[in-house]
Amino acid sequence: MILRLVLLCIVLLIIELYAYQALRTIVKLKWILLTYQITSAFFLVFLVYSFTKFDRSVGQTAQTMRTLGLFLLIYLPKIILTLVLFGEDIFRIGAGAINHFIKFDDRTEFLASRRKFVSQIGLGIAAIPFLSLIYGITIGKYNYKVIKQRIFFPDLPDAFDGFTITQISDIHSGSFDNPEKINYAIDLVNEQNSDMILFTGDIVNTHAKEMHPWLDTFNRIKQHQYGKFSVLGNHDYGEYVTWPSEAAKEENFQAIKNLYGQIGFKLLLNESTFIEKGNDKIALIGVENWGKNFKKAGDVNLASAHLLKEDFKILMSHDPSHWEYEVKNHDKNFHLTLSGHTHGMQFGIEIPGVIQWSPIQYFYKQWAGLYENLGRYVYVNRGFGFHAYSGRVGIMPEITVIELKKGKNVA
């Protein structure tokens, strides 16, 4: 722990040194440079102190989220600035070495002076994440988007042609700080007038009590004709804090499972049910969390034991890696899987039809939107709430509306 803290301080000091050099190249007034040094030193000490005070028995709090947000706001732009100036240093060293041995000019210094325009470019580039992070904290985290997705299935039962499903995921109620915005989001959910609503896990960050102030708000989600169903997410198991005893952990887990019922959702725990419409029916399966790098409590075989391969099946599984590693080639033929979990890392770039990028894509093959394999689909919801970083940049909170259609996909 101490070694990691020392290494972190060294890295941060190097970043601070480069950032100061960039500023000094442009600004010549000593009082501005001194003010910058004092301010940077204060924030560095504050952040290091705050991280050392993280209490694993409590887990994430509003203070830890503010601390992480401040860390990203200060150091992500400086890291980018450091990379720009480090690139310039490589050029300066290379040019100095060539000149030293070949003598293109008669300058005495091995390293050429820093160029003002490089520092200006670096500061300009660094301003982009700085302003983006401010936007994410102040506006982006509650900038809800309703995303509508139509999916075609040749074997969809006739009565379900045009059937609509609203999906929400990753509420993380312990992170909320604005009742007005959450009520607005609930209004958006209700306005969709879908046939059924599904919630794919992570109702809290860790503790059941995080949801208590929001129970009345989420009870405003109206009854849907064909039901309200849910599954657990990885955070619902309370495994990211240190508990005083196993009994306390289990008590919290039971309380979290009860929360879903308290907001009117039927929690499916490695089980399934049939949704009937007219003379037709489809199977809805819900498994506990199964993640490649997280808790593996989900049992898709148990949940679908009594189902036939020919049954039309919708699976709720919180972590999309479950689809990649167990579901997409399963003998039972799960037509549609609904997941969440990734949040799109709450950071990225999305321009429909042009670009979809987030650092999370280097960890998850399916991380936001619709994916297909041999006629089987997974849809990954970008999340309703936020966690760790109290903001969203480029990847906005999502309410999904999926329409099931009979027929072949035209695309």
Side-chain angles (χ1 to χ4, degrees), residues 337-352:
T337 300
L338 299 179
S339 299
H341 179 64
T342 72
H343 302 202
M345 209 171 183
Q346 297 168 211
F347 184 90
I349 303 171
E350 282 199 284
I351 303 174

Side-chain angles (χ1 to χ4, degrees), residues 242-407:
T242 301
W243 295 94
S245 66
E246 281 298 316
K249 179 181 178 182
E250 180 62 24
E251 181 181 358
N252 182 70
F253 182 46
Q254 294 301 323
I256 287 173
K257 289 192 288 186
N258 291 337
L259 289 174
Y260 287 95
Q262 291 172 37
I263 59 172
F265 283 79
K266 166 64 177 174
L267 183 62
L268 299 179
L269 301 168
N270 293 326
E271 57 188 308
S272 63
T273 186
F274 281 108
I275 308 298
E276 299 182 358
K277 184 178 182 183
N279 296 322
D280 292 326
K281 63 181 180 181
I282 62 176
L284 177 66
I285 306 103
V287 295
E288 292 194 53
N289 190 80
W290 192 103
K292 181 67 169 61
N293 300 308
F294 292 90
K295 189 177 184 68
K296 294 178 173 62
D299 190 334
V300 70
N301 294 318
L302 174 63
S304 62
H306 67 288
L307 300 177
L308 302 175
K309 181 177 182 179
E310 294 74 26
D311 291 328
F312 188 91
K313 293 177 280 295
I314 297 176
L315 171 66
M316 288 190 291
S317 181
H318 176 73
D319 190 319
S321 67
H322 192 202
W323 186 79
E324 176 64 25
Y325 289 97
E326 285 203 341
V327 175
K328 72 178 185 181
N329 294 314
H330 197 283
D331 292 341
K332 281 289 180 74
N333 186 27
F334 295 91
H335 296 74
L336 174 63
T337 300
L338 299 179
S339 299
H341 179 64
T342 72
H343 302 202
M345 209 171 183
Q346 297 168 211
F347 184 90
I349 303 171
E350 282 199 284
I351 303 174
V354 179
I355 186 173
Q356 185 182 52
W357 175 87
S358 168
I360 199 67
Q361 71 188 55
Y362 306 115
F363 302 93
Y364 286 88
K365 289 185 178 181
Q366 300 82 29
W367 59 274
L370 187 68
Y371 302 83
E372 182 264 345
N373 178 68
L374 301 175
R376 302 177 185 187
Y377 294 86
V378 61
Y379 189 91
V380 186
N381 181 285
R382 293 160 180 83
F384 186 96
F386 48 91
H387 181 255
Y389 164 57
S390 181
R392 282 180 175 266
V393 178
I395 310 293
M396 298 306 161
E398 175 180 359
I399 298 163
T400 313
V401 179
I402 293 174
E403 182 183 8
L404 306 179
K405 291 296 294 180
K406 177 89 170 184

Side-chain angles (χ1 to χ4, degrees), residues 41-42 64 90 133-134 143 145 156 177 233 255 291 314 325-326 369 379 404 409:
F42 170 78
T64 59
I90 293 175
L133 288 166
I134 291 177
N143 187 14
K145 302 296 182 183
L156 179 70
D177 55 13
I314 297 176
Y325 289 97
E326 285 203 341
Y379 189 91
L404 306 179
N409 196 340

Side-chain angles (χ1 to χ4, degrees), residues 45 89 92 98 144 152 158 164 193 203 205 242 255 302 321 349 370:
V45 172
D89 280 348
R92 291 165 70 205
I98 292 172
Y144 291 95
F152 289 84
D158 291 340
T164 54
N193 292 316
I203 196 169
N205 295 332
T242 301
L302 174 63
S321 67
I349 303 171
L370 187 68

Side-chain angles (χ1 to χ4, degrees), residues 46-304:
F46 171 77
L47 288 169
V48 172
Y49 173 79
S50 297
F51 282 126
T52 60
K53 291 300 180 180
F54 177 75
D55 187 349
R56 187 167 169 77
S57 67
V58 176
Q60 178 178 285
T61 64
Q63 179 59 36
T64 59
M65 291 184 69
R66 283 193 292 267
T67 300
L68 181 58
L70 182 62
F71 177 83
L72 292 172
L73 191 62
I74 292 174
Y75 282 101
L76 184 57
K78 288 185 178 182
I79 289 171
I80 293 174
L81 186 57
T82 297
L83 292 175
V84 173
L85 266 63
F86 182 71
E88 183 190 21
D89 280 348
I90 293 175
F91 177 83
R92 291 165 70 205
I93 292 171
I98 292 172
N99 184 66
H100 177 75
F101 291 107
I102 303 178
K103 297 294 183 182
F104 283 119
D105 61 52
D106 295 326
R107 70 171 183 242
T108 57
E109 305 90 354
F110 178 78
L111 287 180
S113 301
R114 286 203 178 277
R115 290 166 292 182
K116 183 177 181 180
F117 83 92
V118 174
S119 294
Q120 290 174 327
I121 290 173
L123 288 167
I125 296 174
I128 296 174
F130 179 77
L131 296 174
S132 297
L133 288 166
I134 291 177
Y135 167 83
I137 293 171
T138 57
I139 299 175
K141 64 184 179 183
Y142 292 126
N143 187 14
Y144 291 95
K145 302 296 182 183
V146 177
I147 297 180
K148 298 187 177 183
Q149 182 72 60
R150 179 178 291 173
I151 311 175
F152 289 84
F153 299 94
D155 54 347
L156 179 70
D158 291 340
F160 286 87
D161 187 19
F163 191 84
T164 54
I165 301 168
T166 291
Q167 180 197 5
I168 57 174
S169 191
D170 300 87
I171 284 177
H172 288 285
S173 54
S175 300
F176 293 154
D177 55 13
N178 192 321
E180 181 181 351
K181 295 296 185 181
I182 303 304
N183 274 291
Y184 164 73
I186 299 301
D187 288 339
L188 284 179
V189 170
N190 288 332
E191 286 172 10
Q192 306 316 309
N193 292 316
S194 294
D195 296 306
M196 181 168 66
I197 184 168
L198 304 179
F199 175 13
T200 45
D202 276 2
I203 196 169
V204 295
N205 295 332
T206 300
H207 299 93
K209 63 183 180 182
E210 297 166 12
M211 185 64 181
H212 292 168
W214 306 98
L215 289 173
D216 289 342
T217 302
F218 280 86
N219 266 310
R220 291 184 51 242
I221 296 178
K222 66 182 182 182
Q223 291 299 319
H224 288 59
Q225 184 177 355
Y226 293 91
K228 301 163 68 176
F229 298 91
S230 61
V231 292
L232 296 173
N234 57 303
H235 280 268
D236 295 329
Y237 295 85
E239 296 198 332
Y240 304 118
V241 299
T242 301
W243 295 94
S245 66
E246 281 298 316
K249 179 181 178 182
E250 180 62 24
E251 181 181 358
N252 182 70
F253 182 46
Q254 294 301 323
I256 287 173
K257 289 192 288 186
N258 291 337
L259 289 174
Y260 287 95
Q262 291 172 37
I263 59 172
F265 283 79
K266 166 64 177 174
L267 183 62
L268 299 179
L269 301 168
N270 293 326
E271 57 188 308
S272 63
T273 186
F274 281 108
I275 308 298
E276 299 182 358
K277 184 178 182 183
N279 296 322
D280 292 326
K281 63 181 180 181
I282 62 176
L284 177 66
I285 306 103
V287 295
E288 292 194 53
N289 190 80
W290 192 103
K292 181 67 169 61
N293 300 308
F294 292 90
K295 189 177 184 68
K296 294 178 173 62
D299 190 334
V300 70
N301 294 318
L302 174 63
S304 62

